[in-house]
Amino acid sequence: MPSLRGMGYFIDSFTVTACVIPRHRLRGDEPPCSIRKPTGQAAMIRYVLSRLTSLAISLIVASLVIFLVVEVAPGDPASYMLGVNARPDTVAALRIELGLDASKPQRYLSWVSGMVTGDFGTSYTYRSPVADMIGDRLWISLPLALYALALSTLIAFPAGIYAASRRGGAGDTAVMGATQLGIAIPNFWFAMLMVLVFAIKLRWFSAGGFPGWERGFWGGIKALTLPAVALALPQAAILARIMRSSLLDMLGEDFIRTARAKGLSRRQALWRHALRNALIPVLTIIGLQFSFLLAGAIIIEQVFFLPGLGRLVFQSISQRDLIVVESVVMLLVFAVITVNFIVDLAYAAVDPRLRTGR
Amino acid sequence: MTLLSVQGLNVAIHGTPILRGVTLDIAPGQIVALTGESGSGKSMTALAVMGLLPQGAVATGRVMLGDADILTTPEPALCAMRGRDMGMVFQEPMTALNPVQCIGDQVAETILVHGKGSRAEARAAAQDMLARAGLPPDRFPLTRYPHELSGGQRQRVVIAMAIALRPHLLIADEPTTALDVTTQAQILDLLKGLVADFGMGLMLITHDLAVVAGIADRIVVMRKGEVVEQGATGDVLRHMRHPYTRMLFDASRHRVSLPPRPAPVPLLELRNVVRDYRVPAKRLFASAGRFRAVDGVSFTLHRGERLGLVGESGCGKSTLTRAILGLEPVQGGEITLDGAPVFSGGRPNLDVRRRMQVVFQDPFGSFNPRHRVARLITEPFHLLDNPPDRDTSVAEALRAVGLSPGDADKYPHQFSGGQRQRIAIARALIIKPDLIVLDEAVSALDVSVRAQVLDLLADLCRSHGLSYLFISHDLSVVRSVTDRVLVMRAGKIVEQGETETVFTAPSHAYTRTLIDAAPVLPDWQDTPDPDPDRSLANA
């Protein structure tokens, strides 16, 4: 754990809790040296397989939980779709059409096998395929999340490294103050401020909406820029703090002293030895942030009138369109678990000790 | 000709004086040992010579390496000197290497950072240096990562890194303290050979006087930031002009007087104990492997007996300790205390657990820093159904370990290392256990404090009729505080017997290796000076 250095580091402490597991694994007790570790490719394949297995198990458990929760939710979708005055035989016919009359295990299996083949069912409210609805939204939400994540990383890495290399100096204080502000300011308010300045005053960007990718790549990017900045800023502030505290931790390690004794300057020791070791907690946070950005952008989508996933979920919940909710949630779970899998692979790329199954 | 000349070096950190007027010289090809207890300023002297003093440190005086005064040399020039003119080896080999970089790159970096060759040349030179340091490329390719090496092997990598550019001065700060005796002997040999081959000056920092006596040309004894005595090794050891030097040597050789043993009545009995760990399989889809950490261990500890357990790291000492304490199940055999199993029906037997206590090595890490002493030492009370009166027990236990009952309201940070170890012993004593397991309990202490704690143990044997299992890697300590000793290697007890017999006439080859590798303090005080000119010439 990065140590707490006073109350100003409060944010670090709460975000860093997420990094406990990998850091702990790295610092575990040395096994007796006579235990021979499997090395090389077999160990790497084993590592990937074990991560893949846990990915598959997580997906199965998640799909079961989501299905059961939606099952116990009150209300019959068929009668909801047809309204309170519908005739019972019409409702029954619709139930059969929607496949609601089958047994629960059967319905679970057909839901899962449908998803695997890309058939997510039909929206209760709009009577259109759920897959198409989600697909349209995903074309906005996914680029937006990636864009925001790229911005956040591009801001956080230099800021965190700069602050750590000038620890206690004016530059460090300035960066830390800025991150404090970035965390404290609500991003919707910041978004509105940007609309006022860049859309209404300067007219560099439009105030909201999305023209669609078919109208050109740069047009789409331009429409997503203000929302991405609004999303990225608080994330960048958190990430910069993690980067800084993780680097400072590493700079206190013995191997940095060894590097300095070899003749490396403070700067060289930071870039060549501390940085890569400091990446593990940073990668953890990046993974968590991506998942959040994908689904948690609803307020920003609202401010900029973007038809993204967040708004789709919100609308579906208020319209009891449970099949859409079910599918979007499953998709998000899939995204989160996949991102975690990629983060796990990134850990192994960064740290050779994880490749040997430690 | 002097290589390094430190003159009147003062260092203060944020106004607190750390070093006061330290003066010493090192000539090429000479081994100068800095010795003294913790806080004496040995490491700070080394860091000042490297120009690596911590932030906030202010140094005055002169540290001349050749023609350059380290204290006035600007940082970029110092970076150019470090690694090229002076190299340093550190105490903790497990953490001194970058865990995510292979060893070849780390050694080659010393050459590359000074621009002394192309990448290919640096790698070739790194390979040569690693081979010189005892890691031949056929067995230890450059692509190995630090976690694939043992502590001794890692220390060889650190040494290869420090000598890659053949610096004039090598500083080794407790280079063997974290290593086993046999490894220690090899590393000391390596350092000695390098000094002879390269004509380097070696500043060897160590608290272990036996090591000093065996290797150093000159000794510098430090206390509280000052040099109290220095001179040629034989001269210093023979005359010991300063009382502190004499005290250090006496404490290192301290022998306690144990009370006689009562008639043997078995207390702790182990029969064919086996402890296996699962390890990842070597090949894909192979079944998981097994590592036998404790392999068919049998012994008996009698009531009132002091039993020693020695062995090198990884031999299974700690695993065996955890099994005896009932902290982990065993895969075979039986462990009983007074006939009752310590682990029964898949869970530790509380009736037995309350009759055993343990004292660990680290007097800093084994206490919750936010609890007061009274709460810390009454922790074992939760094992009892009817705990005795708290205040009287606390006062009694504190008095027994030489502290005052008034200390009960203090926090652990208010005590020194030795006092904390006394508190740990008080915590073990408070429920009057039948058996105490001392797991490297004095290994982290300075020699003078260690002598006091060992005396305390002997006193407790007299007053409380203590039975203990004393686990240590330090043979001289085990020899002085145990009646019988077990020698453990690779999970097996290879030899056991009366302590004096085992030490004077070891029957197993491994025991002999261990005893031979352990440095001993010579008894030079009583022998006449063989060559009085030598010490003068060296001085």
Side-chain angles (χ1 to χ4, degrees):
Chain A
M1 281 287 292
S3 55
L4 294 179
R5 297 188 179 88
M7 282 304 285
Y9 297 55
F10 164 71
I11 290 298
D12 303 358
S13 72
F14 104 85
T15 14
V16 163
T17 20
C19 329
V20 168
I21 295 159
R23 293 291 295 271
H24 171 78
R25 264 159 69 184
L26 296 185
R27 299 241 168 120
D29 279 343
E30 289 287 324
C33 53
S34 41
I35 301 182
R36 287 260 61 92
K37 291 281 166 203
T39 45
Q41 232 167 1
M44 192 61 211
I45 294 172
R46 185 194 312 281
Y47 178 79
V48 173
L49 280 182
S50 83
R51 301 326 304 158
L52 273 175
T53 316
S54 89
L55 181 145
I57 293 172
S58 310
L59 279 180
I60 292 168
V61 171
S63 67
L64 271 171
V65 171
I66 292 167
F67 181 78
L68 289 175
V69 167
V70 173
E71 275 302 307
V72 300
D76 177 31
S79 45
Y80 190 84
M81 285 162 80
L82 294 171
V84 277
N85 299 325
R87 281 168 34 203
D89 56 330
T90 324
V91 175
L94 185 63
R95 282 179 61 86
I96 293 169
E97 191 194 321
L98 292 174
L100 292 175
D101 55 332
S103 73
K104 280 180 188 171
Q106 265 177 341
R107 283 170 49 208
Y108 171 74
L109 285 179
S110 73
W111 176 58
V112 169
S113 58
M115 276 193 301
V116 171
T117 55
D119 176 13
F120 286 63
T122 308
S123 160
Y124 299 154
T125 315
Y126 298 105
R127 300 291 184 97
S128 59
V130 177
D132 293 351
M133 291 170 67
I134 292 178
D136 291 347
R137 308 303 184 99
L138 205 57
W139 270 109
I140 295 174
S141 283
L142 192 63
L144 179 61
L146 287 172
Y147 192 0
L149 193 72
L151 282 179
S152 145
T153 313
L154 282 177
I155 299 169
F157 269 58
I161 294 171
Y162 176 82
S165 65
R166 283 169 180 68
R167 182 186 186 176
D172 184 18
T173 316
V175 171
M176 285 288 98
T179 57
Q180 200 79 271
L181 216 61
I183 293 166
I185 293 177
N187 62 1
F188 62 87
W189 182 80
F190 185 71
M192 291 192 292
L193 206 70
M194 282 198 299
V195 169
L196 274 178
V197 175
F198 294 105
I200 296 174
K201 273 253 189 270
L202 297 171
R203 298 187 172 278
W204 292 353
F205 297 95
S206 61
F210 188 72
W213 293 106
E214 58 278 355
R215 304 270 294 275
F217 175 74
W218 291 111
I221 289 290
K222 201 175 162 188
L224 290 182
T225 297
L226 287 186
V229 171
L231 278 173
L233 273 182
Q235 307 298 331
I238 294 172
L239 199 61
R241 281 177 163 263
I242 304 288
M243 184 81 233
R244 174 182 178 273
S245 69
S246 175
L247 256 181
L248 286 181
D249 263 13
M250 286 305 146
L251 286 173
E253 292 284 334
D254 285 355
F255 59 81
I256 295 299
R257 195 181 51 182
T258 312
R260 298 270 290 136
K262 273 196 271 190
L264 272 73
S265 67
R266 209 168 259 129
R267 208 185 147 75
Q268 285 171 320
L270 184 150
W271 282 96
R272 296 190 194 178
H273 292 280
L275 190 57
R276 191 163 157 196
N277 279 288
L279 280 182
I280 292 273
V282 175
L283 286 172
T284 312
I285 299 297
I286 290 181
L288 292 174
Q289 289 191 342
F290 180 73
S291 316
F292 166 77
L293 289 170
L294 197 56
I298 176 160
I299 297 175
I300 293 299
E301 286 172 7
Q302 209 69 34
V303 171
F304 289 98
F305 308 108
L306 292 175
L309 270 183
R311 281 175 91 192
L312 176 66
V313 178
F314 184 69
Q315 286 164 3
S316 313
I317 291 173
S318 48
Q319 291 164 349
R320 300 286 184 284
D321 199 349
L322 292 181
I323 190 159
V324 177
V325 178
E326 208 173 42
S327 305
V328 176
V329 172
M330 192 59 218
L331 184 82
L332 291 175
V333 167
F334 179 75
V336 170
I337 291 175
T338 312
V339 167
N340 282 350
F341 173 70
I342 294 169
V343 169
D344 276 345
L345 293 190
Y347 287 159
V350 167
D351 195 319
R353 287 168 293 182
L354 293 175
R355 287 173 226 160
T356 48
R358 284 268 294 281
Chain B
M1 189 200 120
T2 46
L3 168 66
L4 173 76
S5 171
V6 178
Q7 294 152 20
L9 174 65
N10 298 299
V11 172
I13 297 182
H14 298 302
T16 314
I18 305 292
L19 295 180
R20 276 182 294 240
V22 172
T23 296
L24 60 96
D25 288 333
I26 299 180
Q30 199 179 41
I31 300 179
V32 175
L34 257 64
T35 191
E37 297 188 296
S38 48
S40 61
K42 308 182 298 273
S43 295
M44 206 50 79
T45 308
L47 291 177
V49 173
M50 288 299 285
L52 284 175
L53 285 170
Q55 283 187 349
V58 180
T60 58
R62 277 150 71 86
V63 178
M64 304 297 297
L65 183 71
D67 300 326
D69 185 350
I70 303 285
L71 298 184
T72 57
T73 308
E75 176 63 24
L78 277 180
C79 280
M81 288 172 74
R82 287 184 208 117
R84 187 191 65 197
D85 300 333
M86 54 209 184
M88 187 159 177
V89 178
F90 300 94
Q91 170 167 3
E92 197 36 83
M94 302 316 266
T95 52
L97 293 169
N98 183 347
V100 303
Q101 221 177 54
C102 63
I103 58 172
D105 286 349
Q106 297 196 46
V107 177
E109 191 180 32
T110 309
I111 296 152
L112 288 173
V113 80
H114 290 283
K116 297 282 180 185
S118 68
R119 200 158 279 275
E121 287 164 355
R123 281 187 81 80
Q127 188 157 326
D128 291 347
M129 276 304 158
L130 281 168
R132 177 65 188 85
L135 299 176
D138 48 330
R139 284 176 53 222
F140 300 96
L142 298 182
T143 50
R144 283 286 182 94
Y145 283 98
H147 72 273
E148 297 169 314
L149 304 176
S150 72
Q153 290 162 351
R154 290 188 208 192
Q155 196 62 301
R156 289 174 189 275
V157 177
V158 177
I159 290 174
M161 235 155 58
I163 60 165
L165 288 174
R166 301 184 170 227
H168 309 301
L169 174 70
L170 182 63
I171 299 176
D173 187 356
E174 304 274 6
T176 58
T177 307
L179 304 174
D180 289 322
V181 277
T182 49
T183 319
Q184 161 167 294
Q186 292 161 6
I187 295 287
L188 289 177
D189 270 353
L190 170 64
L191 288 174
K192 222 167 160 173
L194 288 171
V195 167
D197 285 4
F198 296 178
M200 286 188 297
L202 174 64
M203 179 194 281
L204 178 70
I205 295 170
T206 176
H207 69 283
D208 189 334
L209 293 166
V211 167
V212 175
I215 189 172
D217 299 313
R218 288 175 61 78
I219 300 184
V220 178
V221 183
M222 294 185 69
R223 184 184 61 172
K224 292 181 184 162
E226 287 173 310
V227 174
V228 296
E229 180 169 1
Q230 62 175 310
T233 304
D235 189 43
V236 169
L237 293 186
R238 208 167 290 109
H239 302 297
M240 298 199 210
R241 292 180 183 88
H242 196 281
Y244 179 71
T245 313
R246 186 170 296 274
M247 190 283 289
L248 271 186
F249 275 77
D250 288 346
S252 313
R253 271 189 299 216
H254 186 72
R255 303 296 298 265
V256 300
S257 59
L258 290 174
R261 274 177 284 183
V265 178
L267 176 64
L268 175 75
E269 287 178 282
L270 278 80
R271 273 186 295 275
N272 285 317
V273 172
V274 172
R275 178 80 179 91
D276 287 332
Y277 285 109
R278 281 167 60 91
V279 291
K282 286 191 177 59
R283 282 172 297 112
L284 196 60
F285 303 121
S287 60
R290 236 174 15 150
F291 174 71
R292 186 150 285 193
V294 175
D295 189 1
V297 166
S298 305
F299 67 84
T300 304
L301 191 158
H302 300 288
R303 198 173 278 281
E305 185 180 45
R306 282 75 53 161
L307 184 64
L309 175 61
V310 298
E312 300 191 292
S313 52
C315 75
K317 297 190 301 270
S318 304
T319 308
L320 184 61
T321 314
R322 284 199 295 275
I324 290 173
L325 291 168
L327 299 175
E328 287 175 1
V330 294
Q331 278 68 48
E334 234 191 330
I335 306 176
T336 56
L337 188 79
D338 253 352
V342 297
F343 206 92
S344 62
R347 55 174 53 198
N349 186 344
L350 283 185
D351 286 334
V352 173
R353 169 103 39 107
R354 69 183 58 161
R355 296 169 54 195
M356 290 193 282
Q357 285 294 311
V358 62
V359 178
F360 291 108
Q361 169 170 4
D362 185 359
F364 295 91
S366 53
F367 291 116
N368 184 332
R370 304 202 200 293
H371 288 184
R372 291 174 199 275
V373 167
R375 178 163 176 194
L376 289 172
I377 65 175
T378 50
E379 267 173 322
F381 278 4
H382 76 269
L383 293 168
L384 304 183
D385 301 325
N386 300 308
D389 179 62
R390 213 179 110 144
D391 293 340
T392 9
S393 317
V394 169
E396 197 181 317
L398 285 175
R399 257 196 298 270
V401 297
L403 296 171
S404 86
D407 290 332
D409 289 330
K410 293 188 185 162
Y411 287 99
H413 71 260
Q414 294 170 285
F415 295 92
S416 68
Q419 286 171 324
R420 285 185 214 205
Q421 214 55 334
R422 285 169 190 267
I423 297 172
I425 295 173
R427 171 166 67 183
L429 281 177
I430 198 160
I431 58 170
K432 303 196 167 55
D434 292 332
L435 174 67
I436 294 187
V437 177
L438 299 154
D439 189 357
E440 300 278 5
V442 296
S443 303
L445 304 177
D446 278 326
V447 279
S448 59
V449 182
R450 185 179 77 189
Q452 290 164 13
V453 172
L454 293 179
D455 278 338
L456 168 68
L457 281 179
D459 289 344
L460 291 172
C461 287
R462 263 185 292 275
S463 58
H464 289 62
L466 219 54
S467 316
Y468 58 71
L469 180 64
F470 192 97
I471 298 153
S472 181
H473 68 284
D474 189 330
L475 299 177
S476 66
V477 172
V478 170
R479 187 171 185 175
S480 98
V481 296
T482 61
D483 304 308
R484 271 193 322 127
V485 67
L486 312 165
V487 183
M488 194 164 178
R489 183 196 191 185
K492 288 192 170 84
I493 303 286
V494 295
E495 179 164 0
Q496 57 176 308
E498 296 296 311
T499 302
E500 268 317 302
T501 322
V502 171
F503 274 87
T504 47
S507 62
H508 195 277
Y510 177 69
T511 317
R512 256 195 304 282
T513 318
L514 271 188
I515 292 171
D516 290 346
V520 236
L521 266 180
D523 241 347
W524 278 352
Q525 258 174 296
D526 313 323
T527 53
D529 205 335
D531 179 10
D533 295 336
R534 184 176 169 267
S535 50
L536 286 177
N538 260 335

